[in-house]
Amino acid sequence: MSIARFSPFELLLLKSRSQVDTATLLLLGWVLVHRQHVSEGQRRRRLAQVTAQFRHGHELGPVMSIAHSQDLHAIQLAAEVVRKECSKERSLSVMHQAITVATDDGDISLANHYILRFLADLLNVTPTTLGTLFQELTGKPLRPPEDPSRDAYWQTHDPAYYAHKAQEEADAAQREKASQEKAEQQQRSKTDKQQEKKQKQQEKKQQKEEARRAKARAEQSSADQARAEQARQEQARQERQRQEQARQEEARRRQQRSSPPPPDRTTRALAVLGLTPGASKTDVRRAYRRMAQLHHPDRFYSESEHQVALASARFQRIKNAYDYLMQTY
C-alpha cells in the first residue's frame, strides 16, 4: 500500500493543535517576508510577539521557511482554512495583526499593499473597514498602491535602468553617426576616383581626336558635332548624379530627425507578472500560472459583483501581459 505524500505545510496542519492558528501564522509570515530592511531574526521575533496567544504548538521556523519559499499552494491552503474557520471577530483580529506586522516601521511595501487587500477580500472585510482599521493603527490613510506597470513607477524606483537605457541610445546614435560619416567618406573617395578616371578618358579622347583632325580635316565638322553631343550627355548624367546625391542626403537628414522609439512595453508586461528584464520564457509561464491561480475570478464567485469585477480586471491585465510576452518575448 502506497503512503500518501504530504507537503511541509500539510504536515504542519496535521500536527497542529489549532489549524486556524497555524494557517494564520503562515499568512502573517507571508506579510513579514515582504517587509523591507528587516532581518530574519527580527521577523521571527515580531511574529512570535504578535501570535503569543496562538495554540498551534509547533516552532515558527518551518512556517517562515514556507513563507520565504513563496509556496502558493501552501498559502492558498492557509487562506482556505482561515476563510472557513474564522468568525467575523477573528477576521478583524487577523487583519489587525497583518496591518501591524506590515507597518511597524511606518512604511508599507508595494507587495504588502496587495497582500492586505487580498486578506481583506479573503476575510470579507470591506475596503472601507480596511481603510478605517489601517488609519486607526498607523495614523495614516491607506492610499492606493503604486502601479508597477507604469513608466513613472520604474523611473522612481529604478532610475539606473533608465539612465543605462539613455546611455545605450546615445551610444547607438554615436555609432550611427560614425557609420554615416564613414559611408560618406567612402562615397567621396569613390567619386574622386571616378572623376579621375573620366578625366583620363577625356584626355585620351582628345589625343585621339587631334590625331583624327590631323589625318582627315574633311571629317572635322562631323567629329565636332559628335563631341558636342557626347558632352551634353555627360553633363546630363552628372546632373542626375548630383540630384540623386541630394536626395540621399535629404533622406539621411530626415532619418536623423526622426523621433526615438516608443517606451519598452516588454518591461511593463514583465512587471505586471512580478518579473524583471532578463527573465526567461519559463519564468514568464511560471509567474503567469502563479498569479492566474491567485487572481482568477472563479475564486471570488461568492463575493459581491464589485469584487468579482475587480478580480476579473486584475486577471485580464495579467493575461494580457502574458499573451504579449509569449508572442513577442
Side-chain angles (χ1 to χ4, degrees), residues 283-317:
D283 296 333
V284 172
R285 292 191 185 97
R286 290 175 179 172
Y288 170 72
R289 288 196 295 268
R290 183 176 67 250
M291 297 191 72
Q293 186 178 28
L294 189 60
H295 297 286
H296 198 283
D298 290 346
R299 296 186 64 248
F300 305 94
Y301 71 93
S302 62
E303 305 296 332
S304 66
E305 293 183 359
H306 175 68
Q307 294 193 4
V308 172
L310 289 176
S312 298
R314 289 194 299 268
F315 180 76
Q316 188 61 44
R317 197 153 111 197

PDB file of all heavy atoms in Angstrom, residues 283-317:
ATOM      1  N   ASP A 283      10.278  31.461 -16.888  1.00  0.00           N
ATOM      2  CA  ASP A 283       9.896  32.318 -15.750  1.00  0.00           C
ATOM      3  C   ASP A 283       8.554  32.990 -16.012  1.00  0.00           C
ATOM      4  O   ASP A 283       7.731  33.133 -15.108  1.00  0.00           O
ATOM      5  CB  ASP A 283      10.961  33.390 -15.507  1.00  0.00           C
ATOM      6  CG  ASP A 283      12.286  32.793 -15.088  1.00  0.00           C
ATOM      7  OD1 ASP A 283      12.258  31.684 -14.500  1.00  0.00           O
ATOM      8  OD2 ASP A 283      13.325  33.414 -15.330  1.00  0.00           O
ATOM      9  N   VAL A 284       8.332  33.396 -17.267  1.00  0.00           N
ATOM     10  CA  VAL A 284       7.057  34.049 -17.610  1.00  0.00           C
ATOM     11  C   VAL A 284       5.900  33.091 -17.416  1.00  0.00           C
ATOM     12  O   VAL A 284       4.867  33.424 -16.835  1.00  0.00           O
ATOM     13  CB  VAL A 284       7.102  34.568 -19.065  1.00  0.00           C
ATOM     14  CG1 VAL A 284       5.722  35.054 -19.484  1.00  0.00           C
ATOM     15  CG2 VAL A 284       8.111  35.681 -19.204  1.00  0.00           C
ATOM     16  N   ARG A 285       6.088  31.834 -17.878  1.00  0.00           N
ATOM     17  CA  ARG A 285       4.990  30.857 -17.724  1.00  0.00           C
ATOM     18  C   ARG A 285       4.707  30.576 -16.249  1.00  0.00           C
ATOM     19  O   ARG A 285       3.554  30.511 -15.825  1.00  0.00           O
ATOM     20  CB  ARG A 285       5.361  29.561 -18.432  1.00  0.00           C
ATOM     21  CG  ARG A 285       5.434  29.683 -19.953  1.00  0.00           C
ATOM     22  CD  ARG A 285       5.534  28.290 -20.593  1.00  0.00           C
ATOM     23  NE  ARG A 285       5.726  28.397 -22.028  1.00  0.00           N
ATOM     24  CZ  ARG A 285       6.900  28.324 -22.630  1.00  0.00           C
ATOM     25  NH1 ARG A 285       8.005  28.175 -21.884  1.00  0.00           N
ATOM     26  NH2 ARG A 285       7.009  28.414 -23.949  1.00  0.00           N
ATOM     27  N   ARG A 286       5.786  30.394 -15.476  1.00  0.00           N
ATOM     28  CA  ARG A 286       5.574  30.103 -14.055  1.00  0.00           C
ATOM     29  C   ARG A 286       4.888  31.263 -13.339  1.00  0.00           C
ATOM     30  O   ARG A 286       3.969  31.064 -12.546  1.00  0.00           O
ATOM     31  CB  ARG A 286       6.922  29.811 -13.396  1.00  0.00           C
ATOM     32  CG  ARG A 286       7.535  28.489 -13.845  1.00  0.00           C
ATOM     33  CD  ARG A 286       8.920  28.302 -13.249  1.00  0.00           C
ATOM     34  NE  ARG A 286       9.519  27.025 -13.639  1.00  0.00           N
ATOM     35  CZ  ARG A 286      10.771  26.688 -13.387  1.00  0.00           C
ATOM     36  NH1 ARG A 286      11.561  27.537 -12.711  1.00  0.00           N
ATOM     37  NH2 ARG A 286      11.255  25.521 -13.782  1.00  0.00           N
ATOM     38  N   ALA A 287       5.339  32.462 -13.634  1.00  0.00           N
ATOM     39  CA  ALA A 287       4.740  33.629 -12.987  1.00  0.00           C
ATOM     40  C   ALA A 287       3.278  33.768 -13.380  1.00  0.00           C
ATOM     41  O   ALA A 287       2.428  34.105 -12.553  1.00  0.00           O
ATOM     42  CB  ALA A 287       5.505  34.898 -13.370  1.00  0.00           C
ATOM     43  N   TYR A 288       2.968  33.466 -14.632  1.00  0.00           N
ATOM     44  CA  TYR A 288       1.560  33.584 -15.068  1.00  0.00           C
ATOM     45  C   TYR A 288       0.687  32.565 -14.361  1.00  0.00           C
ATOM     46  O   TYR A 288      -0.398  32.884 -13.864  1.00  0.00           O
ATOM     47  CB  TYR A 288       1.484  33.393 -16.582  1.00  0.00           C
ATOM     48  CG  TYR A 288       0.063  33.262 -17.077  1.00  0.00           C
ATOM     49  CD1 TYR A 288      -0.777  34.367 -17.106  1.00  0.00           C
ATOM     50  CD2 TYR A 288      -0.462  32.027 -17.479  1.00  0.00           C
ATOM     51  CE1 TYR A 288      -2.086  34.259 -17.530  1.00  0.00           C
ATOM     52  CE2 TYR A 288      -1.760  31.921 -17.901  1.00  0.00           C
ATOM     53  CZ  TYR A 288      -2.571  33.036 -17.931  1.00  0.00           C
ATOM     54  OH  TYR A 288      -3.862  32.929 -18.338  1.00  0.00           O
ATOM     55  N   ARG A 289       1.180  31.300 -14.296  1.00  0.00           N
ATOM     56  CA  ARG A 289       0.368  30.281 -13.606  1.00  0.00           C
ATOM     57  C   ARG A 289       0.153  30.653 -12.138  1.00  0.00           C
ATOM     58  O   ARG A 289      -0.941  30.471 -11.590  1.00  0.00           O
ATOM     59  CB  ARG A 289       1.061  28.915 -13.724  1.00  0.00           C
ATOM     60  CG  ARG A 289       0.989  28.314 -15.114  1.00  0.00           C
ATOM     61  CD  ARG A 289       1.328  26.837 -15.101  1.00  0.00           C
ATOM     62  NE  ARG A 289       2.703  26.608 -14.702  1.00  0.00           N
ATOM     63  CZ  ARG A 289       3.709  26.510 -15.547  1.00  0.00           C
ATOM     64  NH1 ARG A 289       3.500  26.615 -16.840  1.00  0.00           N
ATOM     65  NH2 ARG A 289       4.938  26.269 -15.112  1.00  0.00           N
ATOM     66  N   ARG A 290       1.234  31.174 -11.531  1.00  0.00           N
ATOM     67  CA  ARG A 290       1.109  31.530 -10.107  1.00  0.00           C
ATOM     68  C   ARG A 290       0.095  32.657  -9.886  1.00  0.00           C
ATOM     69  O   ARG A 290      -0.807  32.557  -9.056  1.00  0.00           O
ATOM     70  CB  ARG A 290       2.486  31.949  -9.586  1.00  0.00           C
ATOM     71  CG  ARG A 290       2.498  32.270  -8.104  1.00  0.00           C
ATOM     72  CD  ARG A 290       3.907  32.582  -7.610  1.00  0.00           C
ATOM     73  NE  ARG A 290       4.409  33.816  -8.177  1.00  0.00           N
ATOM     74  CZ  ARG A 290       5.379  33.873  -9.077  1.00  0.00           C
ATOM     75  NH1 ARG A 290       5.978  32.769  -9.509  1.00  0.00           N
ATOM     76  NH2 ARG A 290       5.791  35.039  -9.560  1.00  0.00           N
ATOM     77  N   MET A 291       0.207  33.715 -10.682  1.00  0.00           N
ATOM     78  CA  MET A 291      -0.682  34.870 -10.489  1.00  0.00           C
ATOM     79  C   MET A 291      -2.098  34.580 -10.984  1.00  0.00           C
ATOM     80  O   MET A 291      -3.075  35.079 -10.433  1.00  0.00           O
ATOM     81  CB  MET A 291      -0.094  36.089 -11.195  1.00  0.00           C
ATOM     82  CG  MET A 291       1.253  36.513 -10.632  1.00  0.00           C
ATOM     83  SD  MET A 291       1.808  38.104 -11.235  1.00  0.00           S
ATOM     84  CE  MET A 291       0.671  39.172 -10.356  1.00  0.00           C
ATOM     85  N   ALA A 292      -2.216  33.766 -12.045  1.00  0.00           N
ATOM     86  CA  ALA A 292      -3.547  33.421 -12.538  1.00  0.00           C
ATOM     87  C   ALA A 292      -4.306  32.614 -11.486  1.00  0.00           C
ATOM     88  O   ALA A 292      -5.508  32.800 -11.268  1.00  0.00           O
ATOM     89  CB  ALA A 292      -3.433  32.642 -13.841  1.00  0.00           C
ATOM     90  N   GLN A 293      -3.586  31.705 -10.823  1.00  0.00           N
ATOM     91  CA  GLN A 293      -4.230  30.909  -9.773  1.00  0.00           C
ATOM     92  C   GLN A 293      -4.661  31.790  -8.596  1.00  0.00           C
ATOM     93  O   GLN A 293      -5.708  31.596  -8.007  1.00  0.00           O
ATOM     94  CB  GLN A 293      -3.262  29.834  -9.307  1.00  0.00           C
ATOM     95  CG  GLN A 293      -3.890  28.862  -8.308  1.00  0.00           C
ATOM     96  CD  GLN A 293      -2.921  27.773  -7.905  1.00  0.00           C
ATOM     97  OE1 GLN A 293      -1.725  27.973  -7.926  1.00  0.00           O
ATOM     98  NE2 GLN A 293      -3.432  26.617  -7.518  1.00  0.00           N
ATOM     99  N   LEU A 294      -3.831  32.782  -8.309  1.00  0.00           N
ATOM    100  CA  LEU A 294      -4.114  33.653  -7.167  1.00  0.00           C
ATOM    101  C   LEU A 294      -5.254  34.628  -7.449  1.00  0.00           C
ATOM    102  O   LEU A 294      -6.040  34.949  -6.568  1.00  0.00           O
ATOM    103  CB  LEU A 294      -2.843  34.420  -6.797  1.00  0.00           C
ATOM    104  CG  LEU A 294      -2.885  35.224  -5.487  1.00  0.00           C
ATOM    105  CD1 LEU A 294      -3.145  34.335  -4.302  1.00  0.00           C
ATOM    106  CD2 LEU A 294      -1.578  35.986  -5.294  1.00  0.00           C
ATOM    107  N   HIS A 295      -5.355  35.106  -8.692  1.00  0.00           N
ATOM    108  CA  HIS A 295      -6.293  36.184  -9.017  1.00  0.00           C
ATOM    109  C   HIS A 295      -7.441  35.742  -9.925  1.00  0.00           C
ATOM    110  O   HIS A 295      -8.160  36.595 -10.446  1.00  0.00           O
ATOM    111  CB  HIS A 295      -5.535  37.338  -9.684  1.00  0.00           C
ATOM    112  CG  HIS A 295      -4.506  37.982  -8.807  1.00  0.00           C
ATOM    113  ND1 HIS A 295      -4.836  38.826  -7.758  1.00  0.00           N
ATOM    114  CD2 HIS A 295      -3.149  37.889  -8.804  1.00  0.00           C
ATOM    115  CE1 HIS A 295      -3.733  39.240  -7.173  1.00  0.00           C
ATOM    116  NE2 HIS A 295      -2.691  38.682  -7.781  1.00  0.00           N
ATOM    117  N   HIS A 296      -7.591  34.434 -10.163  1.00  0.00           N
ATOM    118  CA  HIS A 296      -8.650  34.007 -11.089  1.00  0.00           C
ATOM    119  C   HIS A 296     -10.042  34.397 -10.543  1.00  0.00           C
ATOM    120  O   HIS A 296     -10.329  34.213  -9.353  1.00  0.00           O
ATOM    121  CB  HIS A 296      -8.570  32.496 -11.297  1.00  0.00           C
ATOM    122  CG  HIS A 296      -9.298  32.066 -12.527  1.00  0.00           C
ATOM    123  ND1 HIS A 296     -10.664  31.967 -12.572  1.00  0.00           N
ATOM    124  CD2 HIS A 296      -8.846  31.765 -13.765  1.00  0.00           C
ATOM    125  CE1 HIS A 296     -11.033  31.578 -13.765  1.00  0.00           C
ATOM    126  NE2 HIS A 296      -9.938  31.447 -14.527  1.00  0.00           N
ATOM    127  N   PRO A 297     -10.913  34.963 -11.379  1.00  0.00           N
ATOM    128  CA  PRO A 297     -12.238  35.427 -10.911  1.00  0.00           C
ATOM    129  C   PRO A 297     -13.082  34.317 -10.295  1.00  0.00           C
ATOM    130  O   PRO A 297     -13.942  34.589  -9.449  1.00  0.00           O
ATOM    131  CB  PRO A 297     -12.873  35.986 -12.190  1.00  0.00           C
ATOM    132  CG  PRO A 297     -11.730  36.335 -13.079  1.00  0.00           C
ATOM    133  CD  PRO A 297     -10.671  35.343 -12.786  1.00  0.00           C
ATOM    134  N   ASP A 298     -12.844  33.041 -10.716  1.00  0.00           N
ATOM    135  CA  ASP A 298     -13.662  31.951 -10.166  1.00  0.00           C
ATOM    136  C   ASP A 298     -13.475  31.785  -8.662  1.00  0.00           C
ATOM    137  O   ASP A 298     -14.338  31.233  -7.980  1.00  0.00           O
ATOM    138  CB  ASP A 298     -13.303  30.651 -10.867  1.00  0.00           C
ATOM    139  CG  ASP A 298     -13.773  30.650 -12.322  1.00  0.00           C
ATOM    140  OD1 ASP A 298     -14.594  31.527 -12.666  1.00  0.00           O
ATOM    141  OD2 ASP A 298     -13.329  29.765 -13.082  1.00  0.00           O
ATOM    142  N   ARG A 299     -12.353  32.278  -8.147  1.00  0.00           N
ATOM    143  CA  ARG A 299     -12.119  32.174  -6.711  1.00  0.00           C
ATOM    144  C   ARG A 299     -12.999  33.140  -5.918  1.00  0.00           C
ATOM    145  O   ARG A 299     -13.109  33.070  -4.713  1.00  0.00           O
ATOM    146  CB  ARG A 299     -10.645  32.443  -6.397  1.00  0.00           C
ATOM    147  CG  ARG A 299      -9.694  31.417  -7.010  1.00  0.00           C
ATOM    148  CD  ARG A 299      -8.239  31.607  -6.586  1.00  0.00           C
ATOM    149  NE  ARG A 299      -8.113  31.396  -5.153  1.00  0.00           N
ATOM    150  CZ  ARG A 299      -7.833  32.354  -4.302  1.00  0.00           C
ATOM    151  NH1 ARG A 299      -7.664  33.588  -4.700  1.00  0.00           N
ATOM    152  NH2 ARG A 299      -7.721  32.092  -3.009  1.00  0.00           N
ATOM    153  N   PHE A 300     -13.598  34.103  -6.615  1.00  0.00           N
ATOM    154  CA  PHE A 300     -14.386  35.129  -5.925  1.00  0.00           C
ATOM    155  C   PHE A 300     -15.872  35.062  -6.323  1.00  0.00           C
ATOM    156  O   PHE A 300     -16.591  36.051  -6.226  1.00  0.00           O
ATOM    157  CB  PHE A 300     -13.820  36.525  -6.266  1.00  0.00           C
ATOM    158  CG  PHE A 300     -12.373  36.690  -5.976  1.00  0.00           C
ATOM    159  CD1 PHE A 300     -11.421  36.465  -6.955  1.00  0.00           C
ATOM    160  CD2 PHE A 300     -11.920  37.034  -4.712  1.00  0.00           C
ATOM    161  CE1 PHE A 300     -10.063  36.607  -6.698  1.00  0.00           C
ATOM    162  CE2 PHE A 300     -10.573  37.179  -4.444  1.00  0.00           C
ATOM    163  CZ  PHE A 300      -9.651  36.952  -5.448  1.00  0.00           C
ATOM    164  N   TYR A 301     -16.294  33.859  -6.785  1.00  0.00           N
ATOM    165  CA  TYR A 301     -17.675  33.773  -7.280  1.00  0.00           C
ATOM    166  C   TYR A 301     -18.712  34.041  -6.188  1.00  0.00           C
ATOM    167  O   TYR A 301     -19.822  34.482  -6.455  1.00  0.00           O
ATOM    168  CB  TYR A 301     -17.904  32.391  -7.893  1.00  0.00           C
ATOM    169  CG  TYR A 301     -17.967  31.270  -6.868  1.00  0.00           C
ATOM    170  CD1 TYR A 301     -19.169  30.843  -6.322  1.00  0.00           C
ATOM    171  CD2 TYR A 301     -16.795  30.647  -6.423  1.00  0.00           C
ATOM    172  CE1 TYR A 301     -19.205  29.839  -5.385  1.00  0.00           C
ATOM    173  CE2 TYR A 301     -16.831  29.655  -5.480  1.00  0.00           C
ATOM    174  CZ  TYR A 301     -18.043  29.241  -4.967  1.00  0.00           C
ATOM    175  OH  TYR A 301     -18.099  28.254  -4.034  1.00  0.00           O
ATOM    176  N   SER A 302     -18.320  33.798  -4.934  1.00  0.00           N
ATOM    177  CA  SER A 302     -19.277  34.014  -3.843  1.00  0.00           C
ATOM    178  C   SER A 302     -19.257  35.439  -3.312  1.00  0.00           C
ATOM    179  O   SER A 302     -20.008  35.778  -2.418  1.00  0.00           O
ATOM    180  CB  SER A 302     -18.970  33.047  -2.705  1.00  0.00           C
ATOM    181  OG  SER A 302     -17.667  33.302  -2.193  1.00  0.00           O
ATOM    182  N   GLU A 303     -18.377  36.284  -3.871  1.00  0.00           N
ATOM    183  CA  GLU A 303     -18.267  37.652  -3.389  1.00  0.00           C
ATOM    184  C   GLU A 303     -19.286  38.543  -4.106  1.00  0.00           C
ATOM    185  O   GLU A 303     -20.061  38.106  -4.966  1.00  0.00           O
ATOM    186  CB  GLU A 303     -16.849  38.179  -3.628  1.00  0.00           C
ATOM    187  CG  GLU A 303     -15.748  37.325  -3.023  1.00  0.00           C
ATOM    188  CD  GLU A 303     -15.849  37.302  -1.511  1.00  0.00           C
ATOM    189  OE1 GLU A 303     -16.360  38.293  -0.923  1.00  0.00           O
ATOM    190  OE2 GLU A 303     -15.459  36.299  -0.908  1.00  0.00           O
ATOM    191  N   SER A 304     -19.223  39.826  -3.800  1.00  0.00           N
ATOM    192  CA  SER A 304     -20.112  40.799  -4.444  1.00  0.00           C
ATOM    193  C   SER A 304     -19.735  40.974  -5.905  1.00  0.00           C
ATOM    194  O   SER A 304     -18.639  40.618  -6.331  1.00  0.00           O
ATOM    195  CB  SER A 304     -20.018  42.145  -3.717  1.00  0.00           C
ATOM    196  OG  SER A 304     -18.718  42.679  -3.884  1.00  0.00           O
ATOM    197  N   GLU A 305     -20.666  41.562  -6.680  1.00  0.00           N
ATOM    198  CA  GLU A 305     -20.377  41.788  -8.099  1.00  0.00           C
ATOM    199  C   GLU A 305     -19.180  42.716  -8.260  1.00  0.00           C
ATOM    200  O   GLU A 305     -18.390  42.557  -9.190  1.00  0.00           O
ATOM    201  CB  GLU A 305     -21.606  42.387  -8.790  1.00  0.00           C
ATOM    202  CG  GLU A 305     -22.790  41.420  -8.864  1.00  0.00           C
ATOM    203  CD  GLU A 305     -23.968  42.033  -9.617  1.00  0.00           C
ATOM    204  OE1 GLU A 305     -23.842  43.198 -10.039  1.00  0.00           O
ATOM    205  OE2 GLU A 305     -24.990  41.358  -9.777  1.00  0.00           O
ATOM    206  N   HIS A 306     -19.060  43.674  -7.369  1.00  0.00           N
ATOM    207  CA  HIS A 306     -17.932  44.616  -7.467  1.00  0.00           C
ATOM    208  C   HIS A 306     -16.598  43.899  -7.284  1.00  0.00           C
ATOM    209  O   HIS A 306     -15.658  44.130  -8.042  1.00  0.00           O
ATOM    210  CB  HIS A 306     -18.096  45.696  -6.404  1.00  0.00           C
ATOM    211  CG  HIS A 306     -16.937  46.650  -6.328  1.00  0.00           C
ATOM    212  ND1 HIS A 306     -16.658  47.541  -7.348  1.00  0.00           N
ATOM    213  CD2 HIS A 306     -15.980  46.823  -5.375  1.00  0.00           C
ATOM    214  CE1 HIS A 306     -15.577  48.220  -7.027  1.00  0.00           C
ATOM    215  NE2 HIS A 306     -15.145  47.816  -5.842  1.00  0.00           N
ATOM    216  N   GLN A 307     -16.518  42.998  -6.307  1.00  0.00           N
ATOM    217  CA  GLN A 307     -15.272  42.293  -6.077  1.00  0.00           C
ATOM    218  C   GLN A 307     -14.988  41.309  -7.205  1.00  0.00           C
ATOM    219  O   GLN A 307     -13.828  41.105  -7.578  1.00  0.00           O
ATOM    220  CB  GLN A 307     -15.320  41.564  -4.737  1.00  0.00           C
ATOM    221  CG  GLN A 307     -15.381  42.522  -3.545  1.00  0.00           C
ATOM    222  CD  GLN A 307     -15.120  41.815  -2.231  1.00  0.00           C
ATOM    223  OE1 GLN A 307     -14.828  40.627  -2.229  1.00  0.00           O
ATOM    224  NE2 GLN A 307     -15.229  42.531  -1.133  1.00  0.00           N
ATOM    225  N   VAL A 308     -16.011  40.693  -7.770  1.00  0.00           N
ATOM    226  CA  VAL A 308     -15.817  39.814  -8.921  1.00  0.00           C
ATOM    227  C   VAL A 308     -15.291  40.613 -10.104  1.00  0.00           C
ATOM    228  O   VAL A 308     -14.399  40.187 -10.823  1.00  0.00           O
ATOM    229  CB  VAL A 308     -17.128  39.100  -9.287  1.00  0.00           C
ATOM    230  CG1 VAL A 308     -16.968  38.351 -10.605  1.00  0.00           C
ATOM    231  CG2 VAL A 308     -17.518  38.124  -8.182  1.00  0.00           C
ATOM    232  N   ALA A 309     -15.840  41.845 -10.286  1.00  0.00           N
ATOM    233  CA  ALA A 309     -15.384  42.698 -11.390  1.00  0.00           C
ATOM    234  C   ALA A 309     -13.925  43.096 -11.187  1.00  0.00           C
ATOM    235  O   ALA A 309     -13.135  43.112 -12.136  1.00  0.00           O
ATOM    236  CB  ALA A 309     -16.260  43.942 -11.505  1.00  0.00           C
ATOM    237  N   LEU A 310     -13.556  43.425  -9.941  1.00  0.00           N
ATOM    238  CA  LEU A 310     -12.162  43.773  -9.664  1.00  0.00           C
ATOM    239  C   LEU A 310     -11.239  42.592  -9.949  1.00  0.00           C
ATOM    240  O   LEU A 310     -10.165  42.746 -10.545  1.00  0.00           O
ATOM    241  CB  LEU A 310     -12.002  44.212  -8.211  1.00  0.00           C
ATOM    242  CG  LEU A 310     -12.605  45.575  -7.829  1.00  0.00           C
ATOM    243  CD1 LEU A 310     -12.442  45.823  -6.339  1.00  0.00           C
ATOM    244  CD2 LEU A 310     -11.959  46.689  -8.638  1.00  0.00           C
ATOM    245  N   ALA A 311     -11.648  41.407  -9.528  1.00  0.00           N
ATOM    246  CA  ALA A 311     -10.830  40.222  -9.782  1.00  0.00           C
ATOM    247  C   ALA A 311     -10.705  39.944 -11.272  1.00  0.00           C
ATOM    248  O   ALA A 311      -9.639  39.586 -11.759  1.00  0.00           O
ATOM    249  CB  ALA A 311     -11.443  39.010  -9.073  1.00  0.00           C
ATOM    250  N   SER A 312     -11.793  40.152 -12.015  1.00  0.00           N
ATOM    251  CA  SER A 312     -11.749  39.939 -13.468  1.00  0.00           C
ATOM    252  C   SER A 312     -10.792  40.916 -14.121  1.00  0.00           C
ATOM    253  O   SER A 312     -10.031  40.559 -15.021  1.00  0.00           O
ATOM    254  CB  SER A 312     -13.149  40.094 -14.068  1.00  0.00           C
ATOM    255  OG  SER A 312     -14.020  39.124 -13.544  1.00  0.00           O
ATOM    256  N   ALA A 313     -10.809  42.174 -13.657  1.00  0.00           N
ATOM    257  CA  ALA A 313      -9.911  43.186 -14.235  1.00  0.00           C
ATOM    258  C   ALA A 313      -8.455  42.833 -13.942  1.00  0.00           C
ATOM    259  O   ALA A 313      -7.589  42.944 -14.816  1.00  0.00           O
ATOM    260  CB  ALA A 313     -10.245  44.564 -13.678  1.00  0.00           C
ATOM    261  N   ARG A 314      -8.182  42.401 -12.690  1.00  0.00           N
ATOM    262  CA  ARG A 314      -6.809  42.010 -12.359  1.00  0.00           C
ATOM    263  C   ARG A 314      -6.358  40.831 -13.211  1.00  0.00           C
ATOM    264  O   ARG A 314      -5.255  40.815 -13.737  1.00  0.00           O
ATOM    265  CB  ARG A 314      -6.702  41.641 -10.867  1.00  0.00           C
ATOM    266  CG  ARG A 314      -6.807  42.816  -9.915  1.00  0.00           C
ATOM    267  CD  ARG A 314      -6.342  42.421  -8.514  1.00  0.00           C
ATOM    268  NE  ARG A 314      -7.144  41.362  -7.933  1.00  0.00           N
ATOM    269  CZ  ARG A 314      -8.214  41.568  -7.171  1.00  0.00           C
ATOM    270  NH1 ARG A 314      -8.600  42.795  -6.884  1.00  0.00           N
ATOM    271  NH2 ARG A 314      -8.894  40.551  -6.678  1.00  0.00           N
ATOM    272  N   PHE A 315      -7.243  39.831 -13.350  1.00  0.00           N
ATOM    273  CA  PHE A 315      -6.883  38.654 -14.126  1.00  0.00           C
ATOM    274  C   PHE A 315      -6.664  39.001 -15.594  1.00  0.00           C
ATOM    275  O   PHE A 315      -5.746  38.492 -16.239  1.00  0.00           O
ATOM    276  CB  PHE A 315      -7.982  37.608 -13.985  1.00  0.00           C
ATOM    277  CG  PHE A 315      -7.698  36.345 -14.749  1.00  0.00           C
ATOM    278  CD1 PHE A 315      -6.783  35.413 -14.273  1.00  0.00           C
ATOM    279  CD2 PHE A 315      -8.306  36.096 -15.964  1.00  0.00           C
ATOM    280  CE1 PHE A 315      -6.520  34.269 -14.975  1.00  0.00           C
ATOM    281  CE2 PHE A 315      -8.045  34.944 -16.669  1.00  0.00           C
ATOM    282  CZ  PHE A 315      -7.150  34.028 -16.173  1.00  0.00           C
ATOM    283  N   GLN A 316      -7.504  39.895 -16.145  1.00  0.00           N
ATOM    284  CA  GLN A 316      -7.368  40.281 -17.554  1.00  0.00           C
ATOM    285  C   GLN A 316      -6.033  40.978 -17.802  1.00  0.00           C
ATOM    286  O   GLN A 316      -5.388  40.767 -18.826  1.00  0.00           O
ATOM    287  CB  GLN A 316      -8.528  41.197 -17.973  1.00  0.00           C
ATOM    288  CG  GLN A 316      -8.550  41.488 -19.478  1.00  0.00           C
ATOM    289  CD  GLN A 316      -8.712  40.239 -20.308  1.00  0.00           C
ATOM    290  OE1 GLN A 316      -9.526  39.380 -19.993  1.00  0.00           O
ATOM    291  NE2 GLN A 316      -7.918  40.095 -21.344  1.00  0.00           N
ATOM    292  N   ARG A 317      -5.649  41.840 -16.851  1.00  0.00           N
ATOM    293  CA  ARG A 317      -4.373  42.532 -17.012  1.00  0.00           C
ATOM    294  C   ARG A 317      -3.203  41.539 -16.980  1.00  0.00           C
ATOM    295  O   ARG A 317      -2.267  41.634 -17.767  1.00  0.00           O
ATOM    296  CB  ARG A 317      -4.206  43.559 -15.898  1.00  0.00           C
ATOM    297  CG  ARG A 317      -3.131  44.585 -16.212  1.00  0.00           C
ATOM    298  CD  ARG A 317      -3.410  45.859 -15.514  1.00  0.00           C
ATOM    299  NE  ARG A 317      -2.416  46.068 -14.472  1.00  0.00           N
ATOM    300  CZ  ARG A 317      -2.553  46.914 -13.475  1.00  0.00           C
ATOM    301  NH1 ARG A 317      -3.627  47.637 -13.377  1.00  0.00           N
ATOM    302  NH2 ARG A 317      -1.620  47.081 -12.579  1.00  0.00           N
TER     303      ARG A 317
END
